[in-house]
Amino acid sequence: MTQIEANYDKKCECRMCKKSFTTNKLRSRFIKVSSYDTDFCPVYSLSENNPILYHVNVCPQCGFSSTDDFTPYFPPGALEVIDSKVCSQWVPHDFGQKRSIADAIKTYKLAVYCGLLKKEKHITLAGMYLRIAWLYRSIENENQEQRFMKLAIKDYLESYMADDFKGTQVSEVRLLYLIGELSRRTNQIEQAVKFFSKVIEQQSRTIESGIIDMARDRWYDIREGQKAAQEVQEII
């Protein structure tokens, strides 16, 4: 009997050069989440069966990189800019096989660059920055994790102000919570408290009660941390 592998090849068509290519993906039956961090980062039972590694599709012919969250639409001039700044500079490289964390980080950075040139939604860019932060967390690179969490906050805030998260899988409550939690993790405490409060204010208007509870827990953590710091100051 043939043993089914966790990885399989998915056929894609590049939206830039229209050429076909294959890229590795994971079969859902092999993806087992053991827990989640407070910013929704999934922790997988087997680190190699991490679908985050395969979220980005990179065309080996022209280098255009995207995720399924990218819109099909290219604003006027975007194709020419991407062709000039990405495709004409591209040294053919195939990211379509099994990926290491280092490989995955490269694919996300390529997709972010293409997304910026294509003027993708802020919610899409923020999601990629957050996944890069998670990958750096998994290899305990705190400096880079902090850097990309801050970039994610910036685009989540832009998304909130522009309402460009509407129509996506990210609800307003989830977005507000993420801004609060990433602010807490990057020591922007005042901003964290402000956004956790916004989440709690939504409790009567949302079915996502779990996120309301998480916001309360984080708000409590902050308050307890501030109390402890004040007590230390008083002793000193």
Side-chain angles (χ1 to χ4, degrees):
M1 190 172 176
T2 307
Q3 187 176 355
I4 296 173
E5 296 286 328
N7 294 67
Y8 71 97
D9 286 333
K10 180 183 176 184
K11 192 171 182 180
C12 304
E13 183 185 279
C14 177
R15 287 174 175 166
M16 269 296 296
C17 69
K18 305 301 180 188
K19 291 179 181 173
S20 295
F21 64 96
T22 58
T23 190
N24 232 235
K25 298 288 181 185
L26 278 169
R27 298 182 201 278
S28 57
R29 73 179 80 170
F30 291 91
I31 301 166
K32 309 285 186 209
V33 178
S34 58
S35 62
Y36 288 93
D37 290 345
T38 52
D39 61 353
F40 305 120
C41 175
V43 179
Y44 295 97
S45 303
L46 291 173
S47 58
E48 64 269 27
N49 287 356
N50 179 350
I52 294 170
L53 299 174
Y54 302 97
H55 190 62
V56 176
N57 304 324
V58 181
C59 175
Q61 280 97 359
C62 75
F64 180 69
S65 306
S66 64
T67 73
D68 291 343
D69 300 318
F70 276 43
T71 63
Y73 174 70
F74 284 79
L79 287 166
E80 292 78 9
V81 171
I82 294 167
D83 185 56
S84 167
K85 299 201 170 190
V86 177
C87 306
S88 68
Q89 315 287 324
W90 180 247
V91 177
H93 189 92
D94 188 5
F95 283 103
Q97 307 306 311
K98 284 188 179 180
R99 291 176 186 169
S100 64
I101 289 171
D103 287 336
I105 288 170
K106 286 177 188 172
T107 68
Y108 277 100
K109 289 179 178 177
L110 283 165
V112 164
Y113 187 49
C114 290
L116 287 166
L117 295 176
K118 188 176 174 291
K119 296 182 171 58
E120 274 298 328
K121 288 182 175 183
H122 293 291
I123 196 71
T124 302
L125 295 168
M128 291 191 290
Y129 286 134
L130 182 56
R131 287 179 176 89
I132 297 172
W134 290 347
L135 290 172
Y136 277 121
R137 184 181 306 166
S138 73
I139 55 172
E140 298 179 356
N141 187 331
E142 191 177 346
N143 286 340
Q144 290 300 317
E145 180 193 347
Q146 287 280 316
R147 177 189 167 206
F148 282 96
M149 282 194 295
K150 287 173 183 173
L151 287 168
I153 293 168
K154 181 175 176 291
D155 269 293
Y156 279 132
L157 283 167
E158 293 279 3
S159 177
Y160 178 55
M161 289 186 284
D163 273 351
D164 80 359
F165 63 92
K166 291 187 174 173
T168 74
Q169 292 182 328
V170 182
S171 66
E172 184 173 357
V173 168
R174 191 180 182 92
L175 174 60
L176 292 170
Y177 174 82
L178 271 170
I179 296 169
E181 176 57 8
L182 296 176
S183 298
R184 185 185 74 84
R185 284 173 172 264
T186 53
N187 208 32
Q188 300 174 69
I189 301 304
E190 192 176 321
Q191 180 165 279
V193 169
K194 174 184 171 184
F195 278 88
F196 287 143
S197 297
K198 284 180 182 287
V199 174
I200 296 164
E201 285 167 13
Q202 297 268 341
Q203 60 187 327
S204 62
R205 302 192 296 277
T206 180
I207 58 169
E208 295 177 280
S209 57
I211 295 179
I212 304 294
D213 292 339
M214 289 172 75
R216 282 203 187 96
D217 290 344
R218 301 292 80 72
W219 189 88
Y220 180 79
D221 291 343
I222 289 170
R223 192 176 65 172
E224 290 302 297
Q226 288 172 332
K227 274 186 189 175
Q230 190 174 352
E231 285 168 7
V232 170
Q233 284 298 111
E234 286 170 359
I235 293 167
I236 294 170

